[in-house]
């Protein structure tokens, strides 16, 4: 079942994300939060099945290691997108001040 998420939802997201990340488009923030959350849910279901399911793996450490990118990457993306409302705006420090100002391209 999870393969259909990859085909129907993640595939279009990847196309949009490549465009948005390359050009620094802030509208990708909400789709990235949704993507990261969905991927973390799917990976946790798969890993739970591998660890506790009826056909659990005898090599859990290897399975966890091989699935680490699908856990770490969405966590990093999620943390970036949740912290910054405009993740691609450059923050510049004004040379005559201690204040920061936003510069929007």
């Amino acid at each position: 079942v999870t393969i259909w998420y990859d085909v129907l939802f993640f595939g279009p997201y990847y196309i949009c994300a490549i465009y948005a990340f390359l050009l620094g488009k802030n509208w990708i923030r909400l789709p990235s939060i949704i993507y990261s959350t969905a991927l973390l849910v799917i990976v946790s279901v798969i890993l739970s099945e591998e660890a506790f399911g009826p056909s659990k793996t005898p090599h859990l450490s290897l399975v966890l290691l091989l699935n680490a990118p699908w856990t770490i990457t969405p966590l990093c993306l999620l943390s970036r997108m949740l912290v910054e409302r405009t993740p691609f705006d450059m923050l510049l420090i004004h040379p005559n001040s201690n204040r920061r100002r936003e510069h929007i391209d």
Side-chain angles (χ1 to χ4, degrees):
V1 172
T2 59
I3 192 69
W4 287 108
Y5 283 98
D6 290 339
V7 172
L8 298 175
F9 300 111
F10 295 161
Y13 167 78
Y14 293 143
I15 293 168
C16 292
I18 290 169
Y19 170 79
F21 277 77
L22 287 176
L23 298 179
K25 303 294 183 182
N26 288 317
W27 54 259
I28 198 66
R29 180 178 180 263
L30 182 59
S32 295
I33 292 170
I34 294 168
Y35 160 77
S36 298
T37 304
L39 188 58
L40 287 170
V41 168
I42 291 170
V43 169
S44 67
V45 168
I46 292 169
L47 292 178
S48 295
E49 179 65 28
E50 291 285 348
F52 309 112
S55 56
K56 58 184 174 184
T57 181
H59 308 289
L60 185 58
S61 298
L62 180 61
V63 170
L64 293 174
L65 180 66
L66 292 174
N67 283 282
W70 284 271
T71 304
I72 295 169
T73 302
L75 285 173
C76 291
L77 183 60
L78 190 60
S79 66
R80 170 68 181 192
M81 295 299 166
L82 287 175
V83 170
E84 298 289 337
R85 284 192 63 83
T86 53
F88 294 106
D89 289 349
M90 296 174 58
L91 293 176
L92 301 175
I93 299 174
H94 193 276
N96 297 329
S97 169
N98 290 331
R99 296 182 302 134
R100 298 169 83 183
R101 65 178 180 168
E102 291 188 19
H103 173 71
I104 301 173
D105 292 338

